[in-house]
Structure formats: structure tokens, C-alpha cells
Amino acid sequence: MEKHRDFFKDVYDVVRLIPKGRVTSYGAIAKYLGTGRSSRMVGWAMNGSHNQKKAVPAHRVVNRDGLLTGKMHFSPPSRMQELLEKEGIKVKQDKIVDFKKHYWDPVVELKL
């Protein structure tokens, strides 16, 4: 269990670095952390991110196609889209418009 907690902490640390108006994917975070096949675990971390003392901008993490697959973990589910739109990101039918323009790759941006 301790290993999962450390992984989740690492995920939260990366997510906190995503700038406003930018988004990344579960897989990109997993790849940055050296566990490229663990995008599902990044998703589990995001599910629990709302309980963190220090805010985690989980709304900035989407799937590799720009879909708001985590929206059901927001209350209400429309909250994820509202937060993204507040940062200037357009969302249409649960998908980020111009996803590549807003995409933030931690491997590139954080110079791994």
C-alpha cells in the first residue's frame, strides 16, 4: 500500500505543475514517472485527488484523445468542463477543442 501512496503523491506533484489553460493525459503522467503502462493508476490517483489538503487541479488531466473521462468524479460532473472553460479551454461534447494546442507534455515541459 505504501508504494501506491508514493506513486499517488508523485502523480499529484506533477499535476500541480500543469499550468492554467493547459491539459495533459493520464498516459503522459505515467510516462513521465517512468511507469508508461500505468495510466490507469494515474486515473485512480485522480479519483482520490479531491481529498488532498493541497489542491490538485485534476480537471487538467484527460484521456489521450482529450476526452473528459474523469468528469464523473466531479460534483456535479459538469464541474470539470466548467473549470476548464474558466481557464480558456473550449470543450464540446466532453472533448477538448484544439487538444494539441492546449496539450502539456511533462516529459518535454519538465525536461526529463
Side-chain angles (χ1 to χ4, degrees):
M1 188 61 155
E2 188 65 36
K3 199 173 194 178
H4 290 308
R5 208 170 305 135
D6 291 343
F7 179 77
F8 282 20
K9 181 194 174 304
D10 291 345
V11 169
Y12 300 149
D13 288 346
V14 173
V15 174
R16 287 183 183 114
L17 297 173
I18 304 168
K20 285 182 181 178
R22 304 289 298 277
V23 292
T24 197
S25 67
Y26 304 100
I29 293 170
K31 185 177 177 184
Y32 175 77
L33 294 175
T35 57
R37 295 182 164 266
S38 61
S39 55
R40 263 204 187 108
M41 283 297 291
V42 173
W44 283 107
M46 290 296 88
N47 295 349
S49 67
H50 304 290
N51 303 332
Q52 296 301 300
K53 288 177 185 159
K54 187 177 175 189
V56 177
H59 63 284
R60 296 182 189 144
V61 184
V62 296
N63 85 352
R64 67 178 176 224
D65 298 318
L67 289 170
L68 311 189
T69 52
K71 74 178 193 169
M72 72 285 270
H73 298 286
F74 287 79
S75 183
S78 60
R79 183 79 176 131
M80 184 177 189
Q81 180 172 336
E82 291 165 9
L83 290 168
L84 288 167
E85 289 175 340
K86 194 174 180 181
E87 294 182 6
I89 296 175
K90 289 188 175 114
V91 178
K92 188 174 183 180
Q93 296 178 332
D94 292 333
K95 189 172 182 178
I96 293 175
V97 176
D98 292 329
F99 178 55
K100 287 183 179 174
K101 174 184 162 192
H102 299 287
Y103 184 71
W104 181 84
D105 185 345
V107 173
V108 173
E109 302 290 343
L110 300 177
K111 309 278 190 272
L112 181 68

